[in-house]
Amino acid sequence: MSTFLLKLVILMAPWAIAFGLVEAGLRIQQRFRPVIDLDTASYVKNFSDRVHHTRFGKPEFHADWSRHPAGCSGPSLRVLYLGDSWVEEGNFVHSSAEALAQSLGRCVEAINGGVKSYSPTPITIVGASLITRHDPDLVVINIDETDLMDETIRYRRGTTFDPAGHPVAVTVSGPERLWLNGLREMDRIPLFTMRAIAKLYHTQFYIPRAYRLAYPEHRNHDYANLLAPQLSREPKREFAAEIEYFEQSLDRMITRFESLGIRPHQILLSHHPHFLGMPQQGQYQPVVSESIARVADRRLVTLLDAAYPAMIQQLWPRDYQKAFLWPQDQFSHLTPEGYRRFGRAIAPALVRLATTLPPASNGPAGTSHSGTDRATPAPE
């Protein structure tokens, strides 16, 4: 071997070893619990031009089904739960259904239609399909603190309405298509190190620039923008248009469900506090609570707002820190115990609504849900 080649090998060997170690590390972390997720194809699979996105690995209009208490038989009350990750997570749904079944002394069928990051517009579209399919007795809709800005930032541009004014589709935007196409191409890169570099460039430089060019007013789906009204000193002045559109979306949601035969006394709106909105923190404006309350009063639907001081005292006493994932989760999702507390808290309101239903749904002897017509989840 010539002196030049020997020097070249000596020079390149450390870089080759480093590259090999990085490549091996990225593959190992991907196999277990990825810090840098390089299975980019999985992101592409859950996007939709009807509901923007679905649960990972699930078809459009998917819902989980469960009976409470487990294995019970006989007449049942069917409850449809709609919302975002707070509902999709499951503990909120199961705990409220268990408490409801115990209070009523009868079976409760829980249909979980929650999908991460949904707000009233995609909830309306998915909810309409699930109401038609499952014919629920009660509908629970959980509204998240991020829903106000999600409506404008994430969904408004891609929403299509039918002649009656009902939202019928939320499509993926142009920049989002570029993002998805880029992820699809990345999945074809065999070396994980190169895939990681490509993902970094694509997500941190190329796509943000595409958004800025397509939508000069665009705001990222991040903490500072999604929760900007709550952090504002004057949210009603700074975010008047966003608040108005959010309340219009809530109105459209209720109108759409009523057009399918769901009456106001069958609907429960629920809402939860953010960690920084707790009285002990006092850093958040209650702008979402105020918007939901206005719509609930106007539409004569029941609202259970766990962000009200009286509910906070009941649900989140001195150990309230145990109920939140804060500060690891800036969007203030709950711990499993927090979700269970929240679920149990809405059960009394559901009991009151259940007692107002006509005999066909309210009485165990006359219910139309015999306990056998949903013995297994409805097919997708």
Side-chain angles (χ1 to χ4, degrees):
M1 181 180 293
S2 68
T3 303
F4 172 76
L5 288 178
L6 181 60
K7 289 181 178 179
L8 183 62
V9 169
I10 294 172
L11 178 65
M12 296 300 296
W15 292 98
I17 293 171
F19 185 90
L21 290 174
V22 171
E23 181 73 15
L26 289 172
R27 290 180 179 274
I28 291 170
Q29 62 97 37
Q30 186 66 40
R31 181 177 294 274
F32 295 98
R33 191 172 181 178
V35 176
I36 304 172
D37 191 356
L38 297 176
D39 180 16
T40 54
S42 64
Y43 290 95
V44 178
K45 294 175 184 177
N46 76 312
F47 276 81
S48 159
D49 274 332
R50 288 197 293 178
V51 291
H52 190 271
H53 64 276
T54 67
R55 294 188 192 181
F56 278 108
K58 300 294 183 181
E60 295 171 333
F61 310 113
H62 170 82
D64 292 331
W65 176 95
S66 58
R67 188 182 292 280
H68 303 268
C72 71
S73 60
S76 61
L77 185 79
R78 188 171 300 156
V79 185
L80 172 62
Y81 294 82
L82 300 169
D84 62 1
S85 52
W86 284 64
V87 175
E88 181 182 349
E89 188 269 351
N91 275 305
F92 164 67
V93 171
H94 292 301
S95 60
S96 66
E98 286 287 339
L100 177 60
Q102 185 175 11
S103 296
L104 294 177
R106 61 185 292 196
C107 289
V108 171
E109 294 178 53
I111 301 161
N112 184 344
V115 180
K116 178 182 178 181
S117 298
Y118 271 13
S119 63
T121 295
I123 287 173
T124 302
I125 298 167
V126 168
S129 174
L130 296 178
I131 287 169
T132 301
R133 179 184 301 176
H134 294 286
D135 185 26
D137 299 303
L138 299 174
V139 179
V140 178
I141 308 155
N142 188 62
I143 304 301
D144 189 4
E145 282 290 307
T146 61
D147 287 1
L148 192 163
M149 292 301 285
D150 261 335
E151 279 293 303
T152 294
I153 294 177
R154 192 187 298 259
Y155 299 122
R156 184 171 186 172
R157 283 187 289 260
T159 301
T160 302
F161 299 92
D162 67 11
H166 304 313
V168 292
V170 179
T171 59
V172 177
S173 69
E176 284 175 320
R177 289 188 190 281
L178 289 175
W179 180 66
L180 293 172
N181 289 338
L183 294 180
R184 190 179 290 112
E185 291 300 317
M186 278 176 229
D187 198 58
R188 300 175 183 174
I189 300 175
L191 293 176
F192 276 38
T193 306
M194 302 308 296
R195 193 182 297 184
I197 294 171
K199 184 177 181 180
L200 176 66
Y201 172 76
H202 188 67
T203 58
Q204 300 301 314
F205 299 97
Y206 179 71
I207 292 304
R209 185 169 183 271
Y211 269 109
R212 288 193 296 271
L213 291 174
Y215 310 117
E217 80 290 358
H218 174 73
R219 288 163 286 186
N220 291 326
H221 308 151
D222 58 16
Y223 176 85
N225 285 306
L226 288 178
L227 296 172
Q230 292 90 326
L231 292 165
S232 169
R233 291 181 179 273
E234 298 181 84
K236 294 177 182 177
R237 180 182 63 82
E238 293 184 33
F239 298 96
E242 290 86 349
I243 292 170
E244 180 182 12
Y245 186 74
F246 173 61
E247 293 185 15
Q248 290 173 353
S249 297
L250 288 169
D251 259 320
R252 282 191 291 264
M253 178 180 68
I254 295 170
T255 298
R256 177 56 174 146
F257 294 169
E258 287 182 344
S259 76
L260 297 170
I262 300 296
R263 304 271 66 88
H265 66 269
Q266 294 175 274
I267 296 174
L268 173 65
L269 293 176
S270 63
H271 174 243
H272 50 81
H274 189 284
F275 182 86
L276 293 182
M278 299 292 286
Q280 298 89 335
Q281 303 293 326
Q283 299 180 43
Y284 264 29
Q285 298 277 8
V287 58
V288 174
S289 287
E290 293 168 356
S291 287
I292 303 169
R294 282 192 291 269
V295 174
D297 288 344
R298 186 165 62 243
R299 302 306 298 265
L300 304 177
V301 301
T302 300
L303 167 63
L304 189 143
D305 194 339
Y308 282 166
M311 288 297 298
I312 286 176
Q313 183 65 28
Q314 173 188 338
L315 283 174
W316 331 104
R318 294 179 181 177
D319 66 341
Y320 73 94
Q321 294 94 336
K322 297 179 181 178
F324 292 89
L325 292 176
W326 183 273
Q328 293 85 356
D329 182 343
Q330 287 188 312
F331 295 104
S332 199
H333 288 85
L334 299 181
T335 62
E337 174 57 26
Y339 281 120
R340 286 191 286 269
R341 289 190 200 180
F342 186 32
R344 289 193 295 266
I346 74 163
L350 289 174
V351 171
R352 290 192 292 272
L353 293 179
T355 58
T356 68
L357 296 174
S361 294
N362 185 38
T367 180
S368 61
H369 300 153
S370 65
T372 58
D373 58 343
R374 288 292 188 274
T376 56
E380 297 300 335

